[in-house]
Amino acid sequence: MTAFLARPAGAQATDLATLLDELADPQQERWMRIERQILREWGQSGSATIDYLFQRGQEALQAGQAETAISHFSAVIDYAPDFAEAWNGRATAYFLANRLGQSLSDIEQVLRLNPHHFGALAGLGQIMEQLERDQDALRAYRASLAIHPHQQGVIDAMRRLELASEGQAL
């Protein structure tokens, strides 16, 4: 994706690695700011046109227009197939449209392009939970929390699944 980077890839990787290290600290008090910085970095393709199409997809998602969002994110993926956030956006839109298989496929692409994507891992956990694959959901949630231990929704989901599994006979 070097054609879409606004600055050298090495600088971006170093900055993101530092931010991810800071985010992973459970005692980090500035985690919300760090999370925003990471998401901002991930959401920039380096191309004004791609960023515009991506923003249109984000707006459609926020408006609850899953099919429109899917169209916009698909257009971004056509032009910038290495832009992980486009895959993540489309995975989210597919999830909202209850197209879980397609969502899983896009999450796989996100994680191939960005193995540190805590949001995609949390989404994977949600899908596994919906499919009643609780152990797979727990694994995905744990992986997400290893990267970003401050996600209250993921923490709550893990507790819920762990409590449910305690009541099951071995």
Side-chain angles (χ1 to χ4, degrees):
M1 188 174 107
T2 55
F4 295 107
L5 293 176
R7 58 186 164 157
Q12 183 181 30
T14 300
D15 293 346
L16 280 172
T18 299
L19 289 170
L20 286 164
D21 285 345
E22 291 174 2
L23 184 66
D25 178 0
Q27 305 305 314
Q28 178 59 258
E29 293 180 8
R30 298 178 321 116
W31 69 266
M32 284 187 275
R33 184 188 319 169
I34 295 167
E35 177 190 64
R36 279 193 303 273
Q37 287 177 279
I38 291 168
L39 295 175
R40 188 172 29 255
E41 286 291 325
W42 286 350
Q44 296 175 356
S45 72
S47 161
T49 303
I50 298 301
D51 289 348
Y52 175 75
L53 286 171
F54 178 73
Q55 183 60 36
R56 297 275 317 264
Q58 293 286 80
E59 290 167 359
L61 258 185
Q62 291 170 1
Q65 300 167 344
E67 294 301 326
T68 301
I70 290 166
S71 295
H72 288 302
F73 291 130
S74 293
V76 173
I77 290 165
D78 287 345
Y79 290 104
D82 291 337
F83 185 31
E85 276 309 289
W87 291 97
N88 188 59
R90 193 171 73 174
T92 303
Y94 279 143
F95 179 81
L96 293 175
N98 203 34
R99 293 161 64 176
L100 300 184
Q102 289 168 300
S103 184
L104 281 171
S105 179
D106 279 6
I107 288 171
E108 183 178 315
Q109 286 297 327
V110 174
L111 295 173
R112 183 182 63 77
L113 294 166
N114 180 359
H116 304 288
H117 203 296
F118 51 84
L121 288 164
L124 176 61
Q126 287 180 313
I127 292 172
M128 292 296 108
E129 197 172 347
Q130 272 198 6
L131 296 174
E132 298 180 2
R133 292 174 51 185
D134 293 352
Q135 293 307 309
D136 291 330
L138 281 168
R139 274 192 289 280
Y141 289 146
R142 284 187 190 111
S144 182
L145 288 174
I147 298 165
H148 184 349
H150 311 279
Q151 301 172 87
Q152 192 59 51
V154 176
I155 293 166
D156 293 344
M158 279 193 57
R159 284 186 185 138
R160 182 180 61 250
L161 287 173
E162 288 168 345
L163 284 173
S165 70
E166 286 176 8
Q168 295 176 0
L170 296 178

